[in-house]
Amino acid sequence: MPHDTWVAVAQLASQLKDQAVMPLLGAGASIPCGSPRSTDLAEMLYQSVAPLSNPPSDVSSARSDLGRMADAVALVRSPTAAVEALEFRNAVLWPSPAEAFQRHDTQPHPCAYRVLARMAKERFLVEGVTFDYDCHFEGGLLKEGFFPNSRRTHHHRWPELFTVIANARLHASVLRRGEFVLNKVHGCAETWRRDSSVDADAASEGIVLRWSQLLDWRQDAWSRDLVRDRARRHILLLVGFSGLDPVIHATLQAVMREVAPPGAIRGASRIRAVDTDTEKLTLRMLVAAGAGDEPDDVRTVAVGWGVPPALATVLGALHSELLALRITDGAKVHKLSPSLPAQREDRARRLLISAPAMLRWTWSVMAGARGEAGLTGLGERLDDYYVPLTSELARTLLAFAIRDDVASRFAVPAEAAAYTADGSFVAVPGVGKAFMPIGLYPHELESLTSGYAGLANLPYVLKRPPGLDRFVVARDGSGVLRAFSLETGHEDPAAL
């Protein structure tokens, strides 16, 4: 990532770290996941209405305009026909949350939604608003160890449940919601599929698609009130959101005038944007409406269409910088070193790749050695489960320090791209060994030193490097590093 972008992202993180932030997501967030563009959807609608005997005379000129094409289909056929023309029943085009979760295994790089899911695990985010119909956000949540709120009865240690609100009926539900709530204010393909089997017309009313629907809030009091309320009390992080929707644009403009009227002290900017084109007129207007009076505010971060997806890269860098700030502050409280690499790339690799692996191994060992409760989610998702780094910060810092000590002892890098594919072990091929630091406290280490042989048969099978002797490494009460073989389950004093 370019140096200037890193600097902007780090500055943005410092401005957001103590704020209530909510992502507002548009189609640009889902396109890298394979979702169709609005012009593609408009063409699908055109093909459904153009062959008819009585289409509007200007239908060809509106061929690339999704809202106007939807109105044309609704006029000539029916509103339900307009929704059905988008082929929401096509699970290839519109995968379910479970199918979107599976697709992540075929993607070479994490998408923006997986980064946002991790931010939710760390409690940087508790809610989001999207205008997309697809379920790629839900797939990202599942991929990082979230579960639908229907699992609310099982005990868990960290944020692990999410709730999707896609229509007025779901919004009015009094069931306790998950730790992260995704509001799909224009509707949801999966919700439509489920509800249309009972009443297709009623289900289609929950899909905001037509141009005429976008002119006002119609009967959507729930989404109107939700957007206004959240905009009043959050910094909005616009992600892939163009601001073209007239009623949303007007609503956000009005709220910004309400919370920061002309002449008032405005403080920090209330709207920030991460987008491939931050110079679009509608986006610039929204950012200007939410602009604060602090001179160093980072209001926009421009990204490209690179590989890996640049949107995910920038959000990953933002997550890394937010974590670094929180960990540094927490380390001061604990009077410990944050053990964070000085180089941004190495720091990001530790926080985004190595640290989650170390904590998965830590809690896997705890589950086997001590029977720790609340780890059902980790047991089900394994390497697809994100354990938040800041939930038990002292444990995380312990693993960091052990990793640095092991790397120093063998004169190898503590963080390297080569470690990633094999589970982020510190690999030392010269001696045929690989080490996974774990954050066990000395009193917990007793479970491994009192005859426990379960490391050879851990309850959770996590990724590990082939062709090397594998060890987990912990520190005892005297500060001595102790290595335990994953093959034998026993301590090996000669390993270190």
Side-chain angles (χ1 to χ4, degrees), residues 129-455:
V129 169
T130 180
F131 299 92
D132 298 335
Y133 312 121
D134 64 72
C135 295
H136 290 295
F137 200 148
E138 294 93 311
L141 289 164
L142 292 172
K143 190 67 175 177
E144 296 299 333
F146 273 95
F147 296 85
N149 200 42
S150 56
R151 289 276 299 268
R152 58 186 173 275
T153 55
H154 86 262
H155 171 63
H156 51 284
R157 291 174 171 269
W158 312 287
E160 195 171 277
L161 301 178
F162 73 93
T163 301
V164 174
I165 305 296
N167 55 38
R169 176 180 57 82
L170 294 172
H171 180 69
S173 171
V174 295
L175 285 177
R176 180 168 50 86
R177 298 182 179 180
E179 292 90 359
F180 182 77
V181 178
L182 177 61
N183 301 287
K184 305 181 80 168
V185 296
H186 278 180
C188 171
E190 179 71 4
T191 302
W192 182 89
R193 272 197 294 259
R194 183 179 64 244
D195 293 350
S196 65
S197 63
V198 178
D199 187 336
D201 291 338
S204 297
E205 279 298 306
I207 301 296
V208 179
L209 171 64
R210 306 187 304 278
W211 176 73
S212 57
Q213 291 175 297
L214 298 174
L215 295 178
D216 59 51
W217 286 103
R218 307 174 298 127
Q219 302 301 313
D220 297 329
W222 77 272
S223 53
R224 176 197 64 203
D225 295 344
L226 185 144
V227 170
R228 288 176 177 171
D229 175 72
R230 302 310 187 267
R232 287 187 185 102
R233 54 190 181 90
H234 291 83
I235 289 180
L236 299 180
L237 182 64
L238 309 187
V239 179
F241 177 72
S242 66
L244 288 173
D245 184 321
V247 68
I248 299 296
H249 188 103
T251 297
L252 294 180
Q253 290 269 2
V255 171
M256 292 303 109
R257 289 192 297 270
E258 173 191 326
V259 298
I265 297 175
R266 301 173 68 89
S269 295
R270 302 290 294 257
I271 295 180
R272 318 294 180 106
V274 179
D275 201 90
T276 56
D277 183 2
T278 56
E279 295 300 313
K280 291 190 292 277
L281 174 62
T282 50
L283 191 55
R284 287 184 60 178
M285 290 171 65
L286 284 177
V287 171
D293 48 23
E294 297 181 1
D296 62 345
D297 266 356
V298 175
R299 299 171 187 167
T300 62
V301 179
V303 302
W305 288 108
V307 176
L311 186 60
T313 303
V314 170
L315 290 177
L318 178 61
H319 181 47
S320 170
E321 294 295 326
L322 286 167
L323 281 171
L325 291 168
R326 186 179 286 182
I327 287 171
T328 300
D329 289 346
K332 292 177 182 177
V333 173
H334 289 284
K335 295 183 168 59
L336 296 171
S337 168
S339 299
L340 293 174
Q343 294 296 319
R344 280 199 175 101
E345 290 80 1
D346 288 341
R347 184 164 68 241
R349 183 170 288 113
R350 169 160 295 187
L351 294 172
L352 302 179
I353 301 174
S354 301
M358 289 189 284
L359 291 183
R360 281 192 292 270
W361 275 99
T362 296
W363 287 102
S364 179
V365 170
M366 293 277 282
R370 296 172 56 86
E372 293 291 333
L375 300 175
T376 302
L378 173 61
E380 289 187 27
R381 295 288 166 77
L382 303 175
D383 287 300
D384 288 332
Y385 191 92
Y386 180 82
V387 177
L389 278 57
T390 57
S391 63
E392 293 190 33
L393 185 56
R395 191 182 296 279
T396 301
L397 295 176
L398 177 57
F400 285 3
I402 293 171
R403 189 177 188 90
D404 289 335
D405 286 352
V406 170
S408 176
R409 183 166 300 195
F410 289 97
V412 297
E415 306 298 338
Y419 298 160
T420 303
D422 292 327
S424 296
F425 279 66
V426 178
V428 192
V431 297
K433 298 173 183 176
F435 302 93
M436 175 55 66
I438 56 176
L440 262 60
Y441 298 127
H443 71 277
E444 295 167 341
L445 186 58
E446 294 175 5
S447 300
L448 301 186
T449 58
S450 58
Y452 173 70
L455 284 178

